[in-house]
Amino acid sequence: MTGSHETKAAAMISAPPPAALTDPSTLMIVSAPESIKTARDFARDWLDAKGYEREAVGVALLVINELVTNAHKHGSAPGEVISVRLYLSAVGPVVEVRDGSDAEPRALPLTLDRFSGRGLAIVSELTKAWGFRPLASGGKAVYAVLNGGAA
């Protein structure tokens, strides 16, 4: 599992995000633990409005939870702004989480003895693709192309 995961994660990091077919829906939150739930609720409402199947929404919420948690824990100081953007692309719905850190995200191998640091490995396994790009204004955007479809 580790070898295939590392290959998939490395390939996803270098891939650009897919082009938007729709205007993004954006939520601005402050970096705080309670904002993670706010982001999940925002995403659930967006995915439900687009008609996505219940199982696909559940997996998408796990992915969004991981990306926003990483932005909160590793990409911003308490109270700094994190943005969550959702849009449709030709290959599926895309979530993009922006924070103020220039640090590149890195997926660590999935192992049974690690209790933290597995979020991006999980994202890699649950999505069609994921990656990041630096922002001209500083910071980065981490994105994931979600699986599943409309009901």
Side-chain angles (χ1 to χ4, degrees):
M1 177 184 229
T2 300
S4 66
H5 164 72
E6 288 173 355
T7 301
K8 181 178 179 182
M12 295 308 118
I13 287 174
S14 64
L21 297 177
T22 60
D23 288 334
S25 294
T26 304
L27 172 70
M28 306 296 280
I29 54 177
V30 296
S31 181
E34 58 273 12
S35 294
I36 299 165
K37 180 185 182 313
T38 303
R40 281 194 314 266
D41 292 345
F42 169 74
R44 179 184 291 112
D45 291 346
W46 188 87
L47 291 160
D48 285 347
K50 300 294 184 211
Y52 281 85
E53 297 169 348
R54 183 176 172 185
E55 288 179 11
V57 171
V59 171
L61 294 178
L62 176 58
V63 169
I64 291 161
N65 188 79
E66 291 296 337
L67 295 181
V68 175
T69 297
N70 282 351
H72 164 63
K73 285 184 166 183
H74 308 294
S76 57
E80 286 184 343
V81 174
I82 296 170
S83 72
V84 180
R85 295 167 27 111
L86 289 157
Y87 64 87
L88 295 178
S89 75
V91 293
V94 176
V95 59
E96 183 180 85
V97 178
R98 296 177 176 198
D99 63 48
S101 172
D102 293 327
E104 295 183 1
R106 190 168 60 97
L108 301 175
L110 283 173
T111 63
L112 297 176
D113 60 343
R114 183 174 293 149
F115 294 106
S116 66
R118 299 180 299 183
L120 288 176
I122 292 168
V123 167
S124 180
E125 294 298 321
L126 295 178
T127 61
K128 293 179 183 177
W130 78 275
F132 74 95
R133 62 186 174 90
L135 299 172
S137 59
K140 68 181 168 303
V142 181
Y143 69 89
V145 181
L146 303 171
N147 287 308

